Amino acid sequence: MKRDLRALVAVAAVLGSYPALLVTALWPRPRLFLALCAVSYAAEVVARYRARPLVDLMAKAHLGVTLRFVTRETAVIVLVARTAGTASPWFAGLVLGIFAVHGARGLLAGLAILHQRTLNRMPVLTRNLDAVRVPPPPWRVLTDHRGMRPLYLDVFPVGGAALGALSGTALPGAAGAAGALAVAGAGALCLLPHLRRVRPLGDGAAVLRAAGERLAAHRPEVALYFSGPPDSAYQARMWLRPLERIDRRAVVVLREREMLRLLGETSLPVVCVPSAADLMGFEALTGVRVCLYPANVGKNIHMLRIRGMRSVFVGHGDSDKEASFNPFTKVYDEVWVAGQAGRDRYLRARVGVRDEDVHEVGRPQLSGVGTGGPGLPYRTVLYAPTWEGWTDDLFHTSIMTMGPAIVRALLACSPAIRVIYKPHPLTGYRNPAAYRAHQQVRALLDRAELHRSMARHPSGGGRLPGAGGVRHLVVTGPEPALYDCFNQSDLLVADISSVVADFVASGKPYAVTNVAGLPEQAFRERYPSTEGGYLLSADLRELPVVLRAMEEDGEDALAATRRKLRTYLLGPDHPDAMTRFNDAVNDACERAVRAHG
């Protein structure tokens, strides 16, 4: 609510400052004009970062940023005309200079667009191949033509003219315009070498050929193929370390340029091929025998059309959600699941996936998940709700109906409990109510952190009991990773998702939200991964029992059930999951050779 209020205040300042500038120019009040100029510049910056949707709405209503800046420039010309008069040659210099600054900004933006367009038209981008060398980018201030940075060059003529109006002269304004032109010219000169460096990248055929030759020299046998929105990068990221450890040579194939940056660190060669035609004609991939797919997305069809590869759906985590037995999955040659539970889901769902095509390979990502608590003098609860999904009738996320109440209850516990809040990266992606609830949870934890800080340093010099040593954590980025959060926690509160199945590897107690309010037996039958966990109803009546489970040091009433469930969900401990995954890759490569030669 406070953030929305700040956004409205910023937009109001933007809309109100420009008419006020015109008024103080017509009835000249140079000092007030200067103050309003400062407000208008600051409001533009704040509104852009704090109220972007409203700023975009103003542009659609023909009140865009360029018009607003021209209005301020017009106002300062009127101010100088009313104070210094129009007879001075410096006044003509100010007017011509302001219009020239617009031309210089256009030149600067045009060069930046040309530079970016050359990069955007590259048919392939690579990492760890040393095939396509993209020169270091120019300073962002020179290339952010879609933002407002070049527009701010008018601060020189506007500020100079407003200051000159105090003494009745147009000279400072004209000098400011000359300074702005000099800065813009210097920026254009700085961009020219960058344009020369990227010019060879405009030859798409040569770039594609060079990348293909370098990748062919690597002779990859296994590919991890991924496409998706930026917030889904974690789905591919979780497979990088296991693929780095297999016997076969692997490559990562991406489709979105931005994903190349978001993928994270890896020693694997990475190629990004945005065009479907370029991908299907990329001969360097003809030696790949097995292609792994972490997600069901429309662009998978382009890779599936390449002959000679054995397609394997590996997903991005086993769960009881419908996404883990999607009917689309039958298009792949094989489906790899962690344990028997994954196989049983497909058998029950009857979505067309044959049992002989399902292989249990474990979850090699979980090798770093520990079975002990963090060893802190207080208990830690990880609240990790899933996102709202594509429809609301699945009742999977608790964030809207239970999230704030869960966090309030945890914060009210005595002795104090540390809360780690790690929502699904796509929370609020489709449903604004989910985003609002997420913001509410964040606000609760922010206030708790403020209270903690005040408890450590109260004005009276004392210290409030119980609050000072517990530091809550909100995790909305890739770090710390989910499994690191597991290791920092004594208890998990989560929704039906792969987070539950993965947390079972820790052996620690967990609770699953019963958002739909199903009877316990029906809930557990529908969602087998909850067998070793506690159920949490919307009224949170079970929460005291759940929290007491943390005090049993892993030997609460459901500890034995969790040990049994671990094998069912994730497969046996011996051989370990990495060994089983590696063997599965080798076997799939051999099957591909037998099938395609």
Side-chain angles (χ1 to χ4, degrees):
M1 182 64 72
K2 289 183 179 179
R3 181 171 295 185
D4 293 341
L5 181 60
R6 287 195 294 267
L8 289 173
V9 169
V11 171
V14 169
L15 293 175
S17 60
Y18 292 100
L21 284 170
L22 287 172
V23 171
T24 54
L26 286 169
W27 287 273
R29 298 291 185 272
R31 289 184 175 82
L32 182 56
F33 187 94
L34 266 172
L36 288 171
C37 272
V39 170
S40 66
Y41 279 117
E44 289 285 359
V45 174
V46 173
R48 183 167 182 81
Y49 288 101
R50 300 289 185 181
R52 185 60 181 267
L54 294 177
V55 171
D56 293 341
L57 183 61
M58 284 193 288
K60 293 179 181 178
H62 306 291
L63 294 172
V65 62
T66 302
L67 174 63
R68 298 196 297 271
F69 274 59
V70 168
T71 299
R72 180 170 47 222
E73 293 158 3
T74 303
V76 82
I77 290 173
V78 172
L79 176 68
V80 173
R82 297 280 288 169
T83 55
T86 60
S88 168
W90 298 118
F91 178 79
L94 168 65
V95 174
L96 293 175
I98 284 178
F99 280 94
V101 168
H102 277 280
R105 285 188 306 214
L107 173 63
L108 196 61
L111 293 176
I113 291 172
L114 182 59
H115 178 273
Q116 191 59 44
R117 182 173 294 176
T118 302
L119 295 179
N120 289 343
R121 288 181 174 176
M122 289 177 59
V124 59
L125 295 95
T126 66
R127 277 174 51 185
N128 302 331
L129 276 177
D130 196 26
V132 182
R133 296 197 177 201
V134 178
W139 293 331
R140 190 176 176 184
V141 69
L142 298 177
T143 58
D144 189 17
H145 60 276
R146 295 181 181 177
M148 296 161 45
R149 291 171 182 170
L151 281 172
Y152 274 91
L153 284 173
D154 76 351
V155 72
F156 296 105
V158 170
L163 287 171
L166 292 172
S167 55
T169 177
L171 174 59
L181 288 171
V183 171
L189 289 175
C190 288
L191 278 175
L192 289 177
H194 291 277
L195 286 171
R196 285 198 303 270
R197 294 188 193 112
V198 301
R199 186 176 179 181
L201 301 180
D203 187 346
V207 169
L208 200 61
R209 185 168 55 253
E213 290 172 355
R214 289 294 298 170
L215 184 59
H218 179 70
R219 294 181 293 121
E221 302 169 272
V222 179
L224 177 72
Y225 175 90
F226 187 73
S227 172
D231 288 334
S232 66
Y234 73 97
Q235 298 173 359
R237 195 182 299 127
M238 67 171 59
W239 288 104
L240 298 178
R241 297 295 174 264
L243 285 175
E244 290 172 350
R245 299 170 60 190
I246 61 174
D247 296 336
R248 308 279 178 155
R249 292 177 296 275
V251 62
V252 180
V253 180
L254 305 174
R255 301 299 306 281
E256 287 77 25
R257 299 174 190 274
E258 189 176 5
M259 196 61 64
L260 199 70
R261 175 182 59 86
L262 299 173
L263 186 66
E265 292 298 322
T266 181
S267 61
L268 298 171
V270 182
V271 295
C272 176
V273 188
S275 165
D278 290 336
L279 177 68
M280 291 185 288
F282 198 42
E283 295 183 357
L285 296 175
T286 55
V288 172
R289 296 304 181 190
V290 173
C291 186
L292 309 179
Y293 296 82
N296 282 317
V297 293
K299 289 184 179 180
N300 285 6
I301 187 63
H302 303 142
M303 195 73 165
L304 287 167
R305 292 176 63 179
I306 300 178
R307 296 176 60 84
M309 294 184 192
R310 192 159 186 84
S311 59
V312 178
F313 180 71
V314 293
H316 49 274
D318 285 9
S319 77
D320 293 326
K321 291 201 295 187
E322 285 79 355
S324 287
F325 44 87
N326 191 320
F328 183 82
T329 312
K330 61 178 175 284
V331 305
Y332 306 101
D333 296 317
E334 300 180 16
V335 176
W336 291 1
V337 297
Q340 180 68 39
R343 181 184 297 276
D344 289 347
R345 289 188 194 104
Y346 281 105
L347 287 173
R348 288 193 303 268
R350 300 177 183 273
V351 293
V353 175
R354 299 183 303 176
D355 186 58
E356 58 266 31
D357 294 333
V358 178
H359 300 266
E360 300 169 29
V361 303
R363 284 282 283 163
Q365 295 89 346
L366 302 179
S367 59
V369 175
T371 57
L376 298 173
Y378 47 81
R379 298 296 188 178
T380 299
V381 175
L382 169 62
Y383 176 44
T386 190
W387 74 301
E388 61 271 23
W390 297 111
T391 60
D392 293 322
D393 58 353
L394 301 179
F395 296 104
H396 284 155
T397 182
S398 62
I399 188 66
M400 291 179 285
T401 56
M402 300 172 63
I406 289 172
V407 173
R408 284 194 200 95
L410 294 175
L411 293 176
C413 288
S414 181
I417 288 176
R418 183 193 187 205
V419 178
I420 299 177
Y421 171 54
K422 184 171 176 60
H424 191 287
L426 295 177
T427 297
Y429 183 79
R430 188 191 57 81
N431 192 329
Y435 180 76
R436 288 193 295 270
H438 160 70
Q439 292 295 94
Q440 189 176 354
V441 168
R442 292 194 63 168
L444 288 169
L445 293 171
D446 288 345
R447 284 198 294 270
E449 277 298 292
L450 178 62
H451 175 71
R452 184 190 67 84
S453 178
M454 294 174 64
R456 293 187 63 182
H457 306 286
S459 57
R463 178 172 176 146
L464 299 179
V470 179
R471 188 182 183 96
H472 307 295
L473 181 63
V474 175
V475 184
T476 55
E479 298 293 336
L482 176 64
Y483 302 143
D484 293 328
C485 294
F486 285 0
N487 293 335
Q488 295 181 38
S489 305
D490 298 286
L491 171 77
L492 168 72
V493 176
D495 306 330
I496 296 298
S497 68
S498 62
V499 172
V500 172
D502 286 352
F503 191 79
V504 169
S506 72
K508 291 182 281 193
Y510 64 93
V512 183
T513 59
N514 184 2
V515 180
L518 294 175
E520 180 174 352
Q521 182 177 354
F523 188 84
R524 294 192 185 277
E525 288 178 355
R526 183 172 181 177
Y527 305 119
S529 62
T530 66
E531 182 182 358
Y534 298 87
L535 267 58
L536 201 58
S537 303
D539 59 7
L540 307 184
R541 61 180 181 272
E542 304 92 348
L543 189 59
V545 175
V546 173
L547 296 179
R548 280 199 297 272
M550 288 193 298
E551 308 304 323
E552 304 295 332
D553 293 324
E555 289 302 324
D556 58 290
L558 293 177
T561 305
R562 288 196 297 274
R563 285 192 286 270
K564 177 182 176 182
L565 184 64
R566 171 176 173 155
T567 301
Y568 179 62
L569 291 176
L570 304 175
D573 291 335
H574 303 286
D576 63 85
M578 188 61 226
T579 299
R580 283 183 283 142
F581 176 70
N582 183 62
D583 290 345
V585 171
N586 288 331
D587 292 343
C589 286
E590 292 173 4
R591 286 191 291 272
V593 171
R594 290 195 298 268
H596 302 287

